[in-house]
Amino acid sequence: MNARAIQQIDAELIAAHERGDGPTLAGLYEAAAGLRDEQGDVDAACFFLTQAYVFALEAGLDRSGALRDRLIANGREEKLTARIVGVRTAFLPAE
Amino acid sequence: MNHFQQFALDQVTQPVEQARGLPNEHYTDPALHEAEKQHVFFDNWMALCFGKDVPELGDAMPFEALGQPLFVLRGRDGVIRVFQNVCRHRGMILVDRKKRLSGVVRCPYHSWCYDHSGALHTTPHVGGPGYNTHDAIDRSSLGLIEIRSHVWQDIVFVNMSGNAPAFADYAASLIERWGEFEQPIWFGGEDSAFELDAATNWKLAVENYCESYHLPWVHPGLNSYSRLEDHYNIIEPGGYSGQGTLVYRSIISETGEKFDDFDGLGDKWVTGAEYAALYPNVLLGVHRDQKFAIILVPTGMEQTLERVAIYYASPKMQDASMAGMRRRNAELWKGVFEEDIFVVEGMQKGRHAMKFDGGRFSPVMDGPTHAFHHWVASQFKRAP
Ligand code: FES
Ligand SMILES: [Fe+2]
């Protein structure tokens, strides 16, 4: 089941990369991260989370705030310290 | 700079009666072109592009400033910034074409991401797959290199060296001269912008723009209502030069329509208009009902792209209902500027003549052109 799901996501990822469809890429990578999480593979999950995060950032999706938080929780990303210009205020660190 | 070149520059900075023009090498010698980049463009405020090139929040556009890759970004905070168009990681070009950014600036190579102030926002996998930080990578010191910039009258100026005086001081005398025109301007849109490409050194476009001497010969059509004797010289040593006319007439359509005038202009501008080159590379025109700017883009030592944009006095002038008038106006200017192409290209060819000595100036008619030569020569002379 899981292997088939991964294959499916892979195929959709390739298509989304070809279209340059950032929001879809963010969603697919996040789904891929979820599947790795289920397998207990934190490193692989964080790899995909990072991919999801970058495409969410580029597309200006509010979702990127939550993705960054997940990476921070896993020790893979730093808290934002400076005020960030050009992306959603949702990224501002909680005071 | 050798003694011979120094001597030639000293001749340029003589009073107009005795002066010679810049020697041929300033138009034809690649070594001097390189030196000119630094002394004339990078040490001063050069015009890079228009604000209207990046009209919406998040609009980014790449520009080459004499070989330097830059990009302009109208950030989501509404601020126009100019950055070196190069990633701090491995030096990849960041913005390869005009685009509208919804979020960060993502490097297409390894996806380091920068926010709209240039701050480095994330560095994916920099500490290994899934690890986005590393002690050796201090993000706070790896933001994009921002180029000092200033927007005036929708023209984005850059001072590459960072050493020029503040723009407001650099251009103070022209800003003051045209103080009445310090008010909002409205870009006419697609129909009010055009480009001309000329096989000439950019300086010849400035020189020709500065003077009215050529009007009866090169623009005979214009001369019927804008006679030579109705023009006067504008000379501000070290800053700008050009010409003014006493007989500007605004366009009136067959149905009697006119463009709106700028607010509160003095009597001088009822029939007056002025044209000046703000050194080094922007040519400006102000009239009661319109302004235009021509940014000279030196695409090579002997090639210049002239980017023209026309602006009006009220947002109503941007309406579709004014399109016919705007088009007619743009056509008129385009016709005039096209008439100048053969002379700037012809003078460029002339600069290859071994025995041309820089030429002479009419003490009466060529003052504005000489003022420009004097300024260019002075930039070389003050260089270390
Ligand atoms: S060169 Fe830009 S991320 Fe590597
Ligand atoms: Fe002309």
Side-chain angles (χ1 to χ4, degrees), chain B residues 109-123:
Chain B
Y109 198 1
H110 313 92
S111 290
W112 286 23
C113 295
Y114 304 88
D115 79 12
H116 290 198
S117 73
L120 181 56
H121 195 74
T122 192
T123 49

Side-chain angles (χ1 to χ4, degrees), chain B residues 10 13-14 48 53 65 133 153 173 176 188 208 263 265 289 333:
Chain B
D10 288 343
T13 53
Q14 294 295 309
L48 179 68
D53 292 327
T133 60
Q153 295 288 303
S173 54
E176 192 192 323
N208 173 64
D263 284 336
L265 296 180
D289 58 349
W333 286 119

